[in-house]
Amino acid sequence: VLTESELIAFISRGRAGAPARKGDLGIGDDCAVLKVGARSLLVTVDLMAEGVHFDLAYTPPYLLGRKAVAASLSDIAAMGGTPRGVFVSAALPAKTKPAFARALVEGIHEEARAAGAAVLGGDTSSSMHRIFLDVVAIGEASRRGPILRRGARAGDAIYVSGTLGASARGLELLRKGFRPWSRRLWSRSLLVRGREADRRRDELVAALAHLLPRPRLALGRALGVQGLPSAMIDVSDGLAIDLHRLCDASRVGASIELARIPVDSAAAAGRPGRAPALALGGGEDYELLFTAPARAERRLMAIAERLREPLARIGRITPARRGVVLVDGSGRRRPLPRAGFEHFRSATRTT
Ligand SMILES: [Mg+2]
């Protein structure tokens, strides 16, 4: 069986067409970078396949359109850039209802509009059975240049925006049949108080975090304008995997503290013991993970406060030989697995 990383290795080993021009950057970061005059264009693409990335049983077309665009825009934010436009290609089965397509397109337009990006074009096709949505996002790097994954240095602090784990918990709930719009849910919700009401609210928040992610565009742009991060990536596949990617690109190690990871309270919805695992290994949070020298902290916190985006310092970059490690609540250090939620479920269980 061909794995995704094998396929990417085939593509990038082949030197991918003509050599990139000086100053350009190809495969290996959140976006490709194309130098045009004094500025840099950012280009990224994200493909969503029905049955793999989304399930129509719990994904309304409007939210699907928004999320497809949001996922691509998040990669522009991860370079400290500003979105300019998107190209959207869609392959829809012949049986697709016009109302479905209309809602899908409305979601695409709305997400792009909210981000200040124009829908510049795309392509359409019919498909045998399933929906495919492919979004190319184009952005502009700040005048200081794009923030790459490869700039982290030993001694830099590691930060993550927002909170983690809610989207993965939301996906679990949706897969089990939870529907945030079900009439039964809302009529029942009116009758409960206290803990039960909190749990139901958390479930709603988690499901929405999964269906309607909010990429950190304003924060990414502000960080890019001030040029504060030494390296940055967005958390699309889980904090553990994405931290490894940043460390690989920078050829450094890292040490993060479990207790400092901003676990979303909704990630615990009904299952508090599993929240740290969801925060480390769950994907699709679309938060920003970045590193910066210690002297930048005051300016970073000022930006976060102005934008009302929470920012947590979760650890420190170390020399490569120390590897990427997780320090748990009792001070025990162990290698941070390059793994998704399933792995962490057993690894972080509190007994
Ligand atoms: Mg990314």
Side-chain angles (χ1 to χ4, degrees):
V1 185
L2 178 70
T3 67
E4 190 177 5
S5 46
E6 277 172 340
L7 179 58
I8 293 169
F10 289 154
I11 295 168
S12 42
R13 211 183 296 143
R15 283 272 155 248
R21 283 216 231 158
K22 198 163 173 285
D24 289 359
L25 184 69
I27 299 164
D29 215 304
D30 291 281
C31 294
V33 180
L34 301 175
K35 206 134 203 289
V36 183
R39 300 298 290 271
S40 292
L41 270 184
L42 306 171
V43 186
T44 182
V45 59
D46 200 60
L47 174 64
M48 286 178 75
E50 182 187 349
V52 179
H53 301 96
F54 62 92
D55 186 330
L56 291 180
Y58 53 74
T59 313
Y62 171 77
L63 294 178
L64 175 61
R66 290 198 66 156
K67 185 168 178 174
V69 173
S72 280
L73 294 176
S74 180
D75 281 324
I76 302 282
M79 308 292 282
T82 305
R84 284 283 294 271
V86 293
F87 292 80
V88 183
S89 297
L92 303 178
K95 62 175 190 214
T96 305
K97 301 245 164 44
F100 181 99
R102 207 177 303 126
L104 178 69
V105 170
E106 207 179 299
I108 289 166
H109 284 170
E110 191 127 323
E111 189 70 23
R113 195 182 309 129
V119 177
L120 297 168
D123 199 6
T124 57
S125 169
S126 65
S127 154
M128 285 292 279
H129 303 291
R130 306 208 157 182
I131 295 175
F132 296 87
L133 264 181
D134 184 69
V135 180
V136 174
I138 315 269
E140 215 177 309
S142 90
R143 285 177 199 283
R144 292 174 186 269
I147 297 169
L148 309 181
R149 293 180 183 178
R150 66 182 182 209
R153 295 290 171 263
D156 286 355
I158 305 171
Y159 300 88
V160 67
S161 67
T163 56
L164 302 171
S167 175
R169 177 62 183 139
L171 177 60
E172 280 187 346
L173 289 162
L174 291 162
R175 280 188 175 150
K176 280 185 200 146
F178 179 82
R179 298 289 176 265
W181 46 84
S182 95
R183 200 195 279 172
R184 229 181 95 233
L185 176 85
W186 287 95
S187 54
R188 278 192 304 147
S189 292
L190 298 175
L191 304 173
V192 295
R193 294 274 184 278
R195 264 224 183 128
E196 177 63 6
D198 288 348
R199 185 180 64 80
R200 289 189 188 176
R201 189 203 50 213
D202 284 348
E203 288 178 349
L204 280 170
V205 169
L208 280 176
H210 185 77
L211 292 168
L212 185 60
R214 310 306 314 131
R216 299 289 181 179
L217 299 178
L219 179 63
R221 177 186 189 163
L223 292 172
V225 166
Q226 302 224 13
L228 294 175
S230 47
M232 187 149 65
I233 186 171
D234 65 328
V235 183
S236 53
D237 293 333
L239 178 64
I241 291 175
D242 289 318
L243 177 60
H244 268 285
R245 286 179 177 144
L246 185 148
C247 289
D248 288 347
S250 295
R251 297 167 193 273
V252 293
S255 169
I256 59 168
E257 292 172 47
L258 186 59
R260 286 179 173 268
I261 293 171
V263 181
D264 196 299
S265 57
R271 314 285 286 274
R274 292 157 61 260
L278 290 164
L280 278 167
E284 300 196 274
D285 292 303
Y286 298 107
E287 294 295 347
L288 294 174
L289 173 66
F290 62 93
T291 61
R295 63 180 138 71
E297 173 136 329
R298 274 181 59 182
R299 288 170 68 198
L300 284 174
M301 291 304 171
I303 292 174
E305 202 166 309
R306 175 166 56 83
L307 297 174
R308 298 194 186 160
E309 307 260 29
L311 210 54
R313 175 158 42 81
I314 60 169
R316 196 159 287 284
I317 294 293
T318 60
R321 63 184 139 79
R322 301 246 196 110
V324 178
V325 301
L326 177 68
V327 184
D328 70 16
S330 46
R332 209 163 9 134
R333 307 165 65 83
R334 61 191 146 161
L336 179 73
R338 185 189 294 265
F341 165 66
E342 280 307 324
H343 175 91
F344 289 102
R345 184 157 63 165
S346 50
T348 60
R349 184 174 290 149
T350 44
T351 45

mmCIF file of all heavy atoms in Angstrom, residues 274-312:
data_model
loop_
_atom_site.group_PDB
_atom_site.id
_atom_site.type_symbol
_atom_site.label_atom_id
_atom_site.label_comp_id
_atom_site.label_asym_id
_atom_site.label_seq_id
_atom_site.Cartn_x
_atom_site.Cartn_y
_atom_site.Cartn_z
ATOM 1 N N ARG A 274 -9.503 12.119 28.326
ATOM 2 C CA ARG A 274 -8.914 11.992 27.001
ATOM 3 C C ARG A 274 -8.555 13.321 26.358
ATOM 4 O O ARG A 274 -7.981 13.360 25.279
ATOM 5 C CB ARG A 274 -9.853 11.201 26.104
ATOM 6 C CG ARG A 274 -9.942 9.742 26.566
ATOM 7 C CD ARG A 274 -11.190 9.050 26.114
ATOM 8 N NE ARG A 274 -11.282 8.991 24.671
ATOM 9 C CZ ARG A 274 -12.003 9.812 23.942
ATOM 10 N NH1 ARG A 274 -12.701 10.754 24.506
ATOM 11 N NH2 ARG A 274 -12.046 9.672 22.652
ATOM 12 N N ALA A 275 -8.877 14.432 27.042
ATOM 13 C CA ALA A 275 -8.658 15.735 26.424
ATOM 14 C C ALA A 275 -7.193 15.991 26.034
ATOM 15 O O ALA A 275 -6.932 16.475 24.933
ATOM 16 C CB ALA A 275 -9.190 16.841 27.328
ATOM 17 N N PRO A 276 -6.196 15.670 26.903
ATOM 18 C CA PRO A 276 -4.803 15.933 26.498
ATOM 19 C C PRO A 276 -4.403 15.153 25.245
ATOM 20 O O PRO A 276 -3.656 15.656 24.406
ATOM 21 C CB PRO A 276 -3.984 15.468 27.707
ATOM 22 C CG PRO A 276 -4.934 15.475 28.851
ATOM 23 C CD PRO A 276 -6.283 15.154 28.278
ATOM 24 N N ALA A 277 -4.912 13.932 25.108
ATOM 25 C CA ALA A 277 -4.598 13.133 23.921
ATOM 26 C C ALA A 277 -5.172 13.789 22.680
ATOM 27 O O ALA A 277 -4.534 13.839 21.623
ATOM 28 C CB ALA A 277 -5.149 11.716 24.087
ATOM 29 N N LEU A 278 -6.394 14.315 22.816
ATOM 30 C CA LEU A 278 -7.016 14.988 21.670
ATOM 31 C C LEU A 278 -6.240 16.246 21.299
ATOM 32 O O LEU A 278 -6.113 16.598 20.130
ATOM 33 C CB LEU A 278 -8.476 15.341 21.998
ATOM 34 C CG LEU A 278 -9.430 14.145 22.104
ATOM 35 C CD1 LEU A 278 -10.712 14.547 22.808
ATOM 36 C CD2 LEU A 278 -9.740 13.586 20.721
ATOM 37 N N ALA A 279 -5.717 16.943 22.324
ATOM 38 C CA ALA A 279 -4.969 18.181 22.060
ATOM 39 C C ALA A 279 -3.630 17.883 21.384
ATOM 40 O O ALA A 279 -3.179 18.636 20.525
ATOM 41 C CB ALA A 279 -4.749 18.946 23.359
ATOM 42 N N LEU A 280 -2.976 16.793 21.748
ATOM 43 C CA LEU A 280 -1.669 16.457 21.171
ATOM 44 C C LEU A 280 -1.793 15.799 19.797
ATOM 45 O O LEU A 280 -1.000 16.041 18.900
ATOM 46 C CB LEU A 280 -0.933 15.470 22.084
ATOM 47 C CG LEU A 280 -0.187 16.042 23.260
ATOM 48 C CD1 LEU A 280 0.208 14.920 24.211
ATOM 49 C CD2 LEU A 280 1.057 16.778 22.787
ATOM 50 N N GLY A 281 -2.793 14.933 19.674
ATOM 51 C CA GLY A 281 -2.835 14.097 18.476
ATOM 52 C C GLY A 281 -4.009 14.355 17.560
ATOM 53 O O GLY A 281 -4.047 13.843 16.448
ATOM 54 N N GLY A 282 -4.986 15.134 18.031
ATOM 55 C CA GLY A 282 -6.148 15.419 17.189
ATOM 56 C C GLY A 282 -5.764 16.444 16.145
ATOM 57 O O GLY A 282 -4.871 17.248 16.366
ATOM 58 N N GLY A 283 -6.384 16.420 15.011
ATOM 59 C CA GLY A 283 -6.019 17.383 13.970
ATOM 60 C C GLY A 283 -7.075 18.455 13.766
ATOM 61 O O GLY A 283 -8.037 18.541 14.522
ATOM 62 N N GLU A 284 -6.827 19.270 12.738
ATOM 63 C CA GLU A 284 -7.790 20.255 12.249
ATOM 64 C C GLU A 284 -8.159 21.332 13.251
ATOM 65 O O GLU A 284 -9.275 21.838 13.252
ATOM 66 C CB GLU A 284 -9.057 19.551 11.728
ATOM 67 C CG GLU A 284 -8.726 18.590 10.590
ATOM 68 C CD GLU A 284 -9.957 18.192 9.808
ATOM 69 O OE1 GLU A 284 -10.651 17.238 10.205
ATOM 70 O OE2 GLU A 284 -10.204 18.862 8.802
ATOM 71 N N ASP A 285 -7.204 21.670 14.137
ATOM 72 C CA ASP A 285 -7.448 22.821 15.012
ATOM 73 C C ASP A 285 -7.176 24.128 14.269
ATOM 74 O O ASP A 285 -7.738 25.161 14.610
ATOM 75 C CB ASP A 285 -6.539 22.746 16.241
ATOM 76 C CG ASP A 285 -6.906 21.590 17.161
ATOM 77 O OD1 ASP A 285 -8.075 21.557 17.590
ATOM 78 O OD2 ASP A 285 -6.052 20.740 17.429
ATOM 79 N N TYR A 286 -6.281 24.084 13.295
ATOM 80 C CA TYR A 286 -5.884 25.269 12.519
ATOM 81 C C TYR A 286 -5.414 26.420 13.389
ATOM 82 O O TYR A 286 -5.651 27.591 13.082
ATOM 83 C CB TYR A 286 -6.996 25.702 11.550
ATOM 84 C CG TYR A 286 -7.291 24.620 10.546
ATOM 85 C CD1 TYR A 286 -8.448 23.865 10.610
ATOM 86 C CD2 TYR A 286 -6.356 24.302 9.569
ATOM 87 C CE1 TYR A 286 -8.692 22.830 9.713
ATOM 88 C CE2 TYR A 286 -6.585 23.270 8.670
ATOM 89 C CZ TYR A 286 -7.748 22.543 8.753
ATOM 90 O OH TYR A 286 -7.969 21.536 7.870
ATOM 91 N N GLU A 287 -4.749 26.082 14.492
ATOM 92 C CA GLU A 287 -4.081 27.105 15.291
ATOM 93 C C GLU A 287 -2.672 27.296 14.721
ATOM 94 O O GLU A 287 -2.224 26.531 13.867
ATOM 95 C CB GLU A 287 -4.018 26.668 16.757
ATOM 96 C CG GLU A 287 -5.380 26.579 17.435
ATOM 97 C CD GLU A 287 -6.083 27.930 17.560
ATOM 98 O OE1 GLU A 287 -5.423 28.974 17.339
ATOM 99 O OE2 GLU A 287 -7.286 27.941 17.847
ATOM 100 N N LEU A 288 -1.976 28.336 15.209
ATOM 101 C CA LEU A 288 -0.611 28.594 14.750
ATOM 102 C C LEU A 288 0.383 28.122 15.796
ATOM 103 O O LEU A 288 0.221 28.419 16.991
ATOM 104 C CB LEU A 288 -0.419 30.092 14.468
ATOM 105 C CG LEU A 288 -1.249 30.634 13.304
ATOM 106 C CD1 LEU A 288 -1.103 32.145 13.200
ATOM 107 C CD2 LEU A 288 -0.847 29.966 11.985
ATOM 108 N N LEU A 289 1.372 27.386 15.365
ATOM 109 C CA LEU A 289 2.446 26.894 16.224
ATOM 110 C C LEU A 289 3.709 27.584 15.742
ATOM 111 O O LEU A 289 4.051 27.484 14.566
ATOM 112 C CB LEU A 289 2.558 25.375 16.067
ATOM 113 C CG LEU A 289 3.729 24.672 16.751
ATOM 114 C CD1 LEU A 289 3.603 24.766 18.266
ATOM 115 C CD2 LEU A 289 3.800 23.214 16.310
ATOM 116 N N PHE A 290 4.377 28.320 16.632
ATOM 117 C CA PHE A 290 5.565 29.050 16.171
ATOM 118 C C PHE A 290 6.616 29.174 17.254
ATOM 119 O O PHE A 290 6.362 28.916 18.427
ATOM 120 C CB PHE A 290 5.187 30.421 15.608
ATOM 121 C CG PHE A 290 4.547 31.360 16.591
ATOM 122 C CD1 PHE A 290 5.313 32.274 17.303
ATOM 123 C CD2 PHE A 290 3.179 31.342 16.817
ATOM 124 C CE1 PHE A 290 4.730 33.142 18.208
ATOM 125 C CE2 PHE A 290 2.592 32.200 17.726
ATOM 126 C CZ PHE A 290 3.358 33.104 18.417
ATOM 127 N N THR A 291 7.792 29.565 16.842
ATOM 128 C CA THR A 291 8.908 29.742 17.768
ATOM 129 C C THR A 291 9.384 31.182 17.659
ATOM 130 O O THR A 291 9.213 31.829 16.620
ATOM 131 C CB THR A 291 10.073 28.805 17.398
ATOM 132 O OG1 THR A 291 10.518 29.127 16.077
ATOM 133 C CG2 THR A 291 9.635 27.348 17.440
ATOM 134 N N ALA A 292 9.967 31.683 18.749
ATOM 135 C CA ALA A 292 10.502 33.048 18.730
ATOM 136 C C ALA A 292 11.553 33.167 19.824
ATOM 137 O O ALA A 292 11.456 32.500 20.856
ATOM 138 C CB ALA A 292 9.387 34.073 18.955
ATOM 139 N N PRO A 293 12.537 34.031 19.602
ATOM 140 C CA PRO A 293 13.525 34.250 20.655
ATOM 141 C C PRO A 293 12.862 34.854 21.892
ATOM 142 O O PRO A 293 11.856 35.563 21.779
ATOM 143 C CB PRO A 293 14.518 35.241 20.038
ATOM 144 C CG PRO A 293 14.023 35.570 18.685
ATOM 145 C CD PRO A 293 12.798 34.812 18.396
ATOM 146 N N ALA A 294 13.441 34.587 23.065
ATOM 147 C CA ALA A 294 12.835 35.006 24.327
ATOM 148 C C ALA A 294 12.568 36.512 24.367
ATOM 149 O O ALA A 294 11.561 36.958 24.923
ATOM 150 C CB ALA A 294 13.727 34.596 25.493
ATOM 151 N N ARG A 295 13.447 37.298 23.736
ATOM 152 C CA ARG A 295 13.281 38.756 23.817
ATOM 153 C C ARG A 295 12.010 39.247 23.112
ATOM 154 O O ARG A 295 11.592 40.382 23.296
ATOM 155 C CB ARG A 295 14.523 39.463 23.255
ATOM 156 C CG ARG A 295 14.760 39.197 21.785
ATOM 157 C CD ARG A 295 16.000 39.907 21.257
ATOM 158 N NE ARG A 295 16.798 39.071 20.366
ATOM 159 C CZ ARG A 295 16.455 38.708 19.135
ATOM 160 N NH1 ARG A 295 15.364 39.108 18.633
ATOM 161 N NH2 ARG A 295 17.225 37.941 18.394
ATOM 162 N N ALA A 296 11.407 38.399 22.279
ATOM 163 C CA ALA A 296 10.213 38.827 21.533
ATOM 164 C C ALA A 296 8.938 38.672 22.352
ATOM 165 O O ALA A 296 7.868 39.118 21.933
ATOM 166 C CB ALA A 296 10.094 38.027 20.238
ATOM 167 N N GLU A 297 9.033 38.039 23.529
ATOM 168 C CA GLU A 297 7.811 37.649 24.236
ATOM 169 C C GLU A 297 6.861 38.815 24.533
ATOM 170 O O GLU A 297 5.654 38.687 24.341
ATOM 171 C CB GLU A 297 8.137 36.898 25.527
ATOM 172 C CG GLU A 297 6.891 36.631 26.357
ATOM 173 C CD GLU A 297 6.831 35.227 26.928
ATOM 174 O OE1 GLU A 297 7.342 34.274 26.311
ATOM 175 O OE2 GLU A 297 6.264 35.088 28.017
ATOM 176 N N ARG A 298 7.408 39.943 25.002
ATOM 177 C CA ARG A 298 6.508 41.050 25.349
ATOM 178 C C ARG A 298 5.740 41.552 24.136
ATOM 179 O O ARG A 298 4.547 41.820 24.202
ATOM 180 C CB ARG A 298 7.287 42.185 26.002
ATOM 181 C CG ARG A 298 7.416 41.954 27.506
ATOM 182 C CD ARG A 298 8.148 43.052 28.189
ATOM 183 N NE ARG A 298 7.505 44.355 28.010
ATOM 184 C CZ ARG A 298 8.025 45.472 28.501
ATOM 185 N NH1 ARG A 298 9.147 45.455 29.182
ATOM 186 N NH2 ARG A 298 7.402 46.623 28.314
ATOM 187 N N ARG A 299 6.442 41.656 23.012
ATOM 188 C CA ARG A 299 5.760 42.124 21.792
ATOM 189 C C ARG A 299 4.748 41.092 21.301
ATOM 190 O O ARG A 299 3.676 41.454 20.803
ATOM 191 C CB ARG A 299 6.791 42.447 20.708
ATOM 192 C CG ARG A 299 7.573 43.732 21.046
ATOM 193 C CD ARG A 299 8.743 43.911 20.116
ATOM 194 N NE ARG A 299 8.313 44.201 18.750
ATOM 195 C CZ ARG A 299 9.103 44.057 17.687
ATOM 196 N NH1 ARG A 299 10.337 43.599 17.829
ATOM 197 N NH2 ARG A 299 8.661 44.358 16.479
ATOM 198 N N LEU A 300 5.086 39.822 21.461
ATOM 199 C CA LEU A 300 4.147 38.769 21.055
ATOM 200 C C LEU A 300 2.863 38.845 21.874
ATOM 201 O O LEU A 300 1.750 38.776 21.345
ATOM 202 C CB LEU A 300 4.770 37.388 21.276
ATOM 203 C CG LEU A 300 5.822 36.942 20.279
ATOM 204 C CD1 LEU A 300 6.438 35.629 20.740
ATOM 205 C CD2 LEU A 300 5.200 36.781 18.892
ATOM 206 N N MET A 301 3.025 38.989 23.179
ATOM 207 C CA MET A 301 1.863 39.019 24.052
ATOM 208 C C MET A 301 1.020 40.265 23.786
ATOM 209 O O MET A 301 -0.204 40.236 23.905
ATOM 210 C CB MET A 301 2.286 38.924 25.518
ATOM 211 C CG MET A 301 2.859 37.545 25.880
ATOM 212 S SD MET A 301 1.695 36.193 25.481
ATOM 213 C CE MET A 301 2.703 34.741 25.736
ATOM 214 N N ALA A 302 1.686 41.369 23.415
ATOM 215 C CA ALA A 302 0.948 42.597 23.099
ATOM 216 C C ALA A 302 0.081 42.381 21.848
ATOM 217 O O ALA A 302 -1.084 42.804 21.804
ATOM 218 C CB ALA A 302 1.922 43.757 22.909
ATOM 219 N N ILE A 303 0.628 41.725 20.846
ATOM 220 C CA ILE A 303 -0.147 41.426 19.629
ATOM 221 C C ILE A 303 -1.341 40.540 19.974
ATOM 222 O O ILE A 303 -2.476 40.794 19.554
ATOM 223 C CB ILE A 303 0.736 40.698 18.579
ATOM 224 C CG1 ILE A 303 1.802 41.628 18.033
ATOM 225 C CG2 ILE A 303 -0.131 40.151 17.441
ATOM 226 C CD1 ILE A 303 2.790 40.930 17.098
ATOM 227 N N ALA A 304 -1.063 39.498 20.750
ATOM 228 C CA ALA A 304 -2.122 38.540 21.095
ATOM 229 C C ALA A 304 -3.241 39.242 21.852
ATOM 230 O O ALA A 304 -4.426 38.987 21.610
ATOM 231 C CB ALA A 304 -1.544 37.402 21.924
ATOM 232 N N GLU A 305 -2.854 40.142 22.745
ATOM 233 C CA GLU A 305 -3.856 40.847 23.539
ATOM 234 C C GLU A 305 -4.685 41.787 22.660
ATOM 235 O O GLU A 305 -5.905 41.834 22.764
ATOM 236 C CB GLU A 305 -3.152 41.637 24.634
ATOM 237 C CG GLU A 305 -4.051 41.960 25.799
ATOM 238 C CD GLU A 305 -3.228 42.439 26.986
ATOM 239 O OE1 GLU A 305 -2.261 41.735 27.354
ATOM 240 O OE2 GLU A 305 -3.533 43.520 27.498
ATOM 241 N N ARG A 306 -3.991 42.503 21.778
ATOM 242 C CA ARG A 306 -4.702 43.431 20.890
ATOM 243 C C ARG A 306 -5.707 42.675 20.022
ATOM 244 O O ARG A 306 -6.815 43.132 19.796
ATOM 245 C CB ARG A 306 -3.682 44.166 20.007
ATOM 246 C CG ARG A 306 -4.294 45.063 18.956
ATOM 247 C CD ARG A 306 -3.263 46.010 18.343
ATOM 248 N NE ARG A 306 -2.107 45.336 17.767
ATOM 249 C CZ ARG A 306 -2.083 44.813 16.543
ATOM 250 N NH1 ARG A 306 -3.147 44.869 15.765
ATOM 251 N NH2 ARG A 306 -0.987 44.241 16.095
ATOM 252 N N LEU A 307 -5.346 41.513 19.544
ATOM 253 C CA LEU A 307 -6.228 40.745 18.663
ATOM 254 C C LEU A 307 -7.168 39.822 19.438
ATOM 255 O O LEU A 307 -7.992 39.131 18.851
ATOM 256 C CB LEU A 307 -5.397 39.906 17.684
ATOM 257 C CG LEU A 307 -4.527 40.691 16.714
ATOM 258 C CD1 LEU A 307 -3.648 39.750 15.909
ATOM 259 C CD2 LEU A 307 -5.385 41.535 15.776
ATOM 260 N N ARG A 308 -6.996 39.786 20.742
ATOM 261 C CA ARG A 308 -7.764 38.875 21.599
ATOM 262 C C ARG A 308 -7.636 37.429 21.142
ATOM 263 O O ARG A 308 -8.616 36.688 21.073
ATOM 264 C CB ARG A 308 -9.238 39.275 21.624
ATOM 265 C CG ARG A 308 -9.364 40.652 22.197
ATOM 266 C CD ARG A 308 -10.752 41.004 22.564
ATOM 267 N NE ARG A 308 -10.775 42.391 22.973
ATOM 268 C CZ ARG A 308 -11.842 43.136 23.004
ATOM 269 N NH1 ARG A 308 -13.001 42.631 22.665
ATOM 270 N NH2 ARG A 308 -11.779 44.383 23.407
ATOM 271 N N GLU A 309 -6.427 37.074 20.797
ATOM 272 C CA GLU A 309 -6.130 35.688 20.429
ATOM 273 C C GLU A 309 -5.268 35.123 21.553
ATOM 274 O O GLU A 309 -4.169 35.610 21.783
ATOM 275 C CB GLU A 309 -5.324 35.637 19.123
ATOM 276 C CG GLU A 309 -5.945 36.401 17.966
ATOM 277 C CD GLU A 309 -6.666 35.499 17.017
ATOM 278 O OE1 GLU A 309 -7.172 34.456 17.447
ATOM 279 O OE2 GLU A 309 -6.717 35.844 15.816
ATOM 280 N N PRO A 310 -5.736 34.095 22.247
ATOM 281 C CA PRO A 310 -4.917 33.530 23.312
ATOM 282 C C PRO A 310 -3.625 32.936 22.753
ATOM 283 O O PRO A 310 -3.603 32.434 21.629
ATOM 284 C CB PRO A 310 -5.803 32.419 23.891
ATOM 285 C CG PRO A 310 -7.101 32.496 23.203
ATOM 286 C CD PRO A 310 -7.000 33.429 22.048
ATOM 287 N N LEU A 311 -2.571 33.064 23.544
ATOM 288 C CA LEU A 311 -1.265 32.560 23.130
ATOM 289 C C LEU A 311 -0.653 31.850 24.326
ATOM 290 O O LEU A 311 -0.625 32.399 25.418
ATOM 291 C CB LEU A 311 -0.387 33.752 22.739
ATOM 292 C CG LEU A 311 0.679 33.575 21.682
ATOM 293 C CD1 LEU A 311 0.083 32.993 20.411
ATOM 294 C CD2 LEU A 311 1.334 34.909 21.394
ATOM 295 N N ALA A 312 -0.173 30.634 24.138
ATOM 296 C CA ALA A 312 0.434 29.894 25.248
ATOM 297 C C ALA A 312 1.870 29.536 24.904
ATOM 298 O O ALA A 312 2.157 29.107 23.787
ATOM 299 C CB ALA A 312 -0.357 28.619 25.526
#
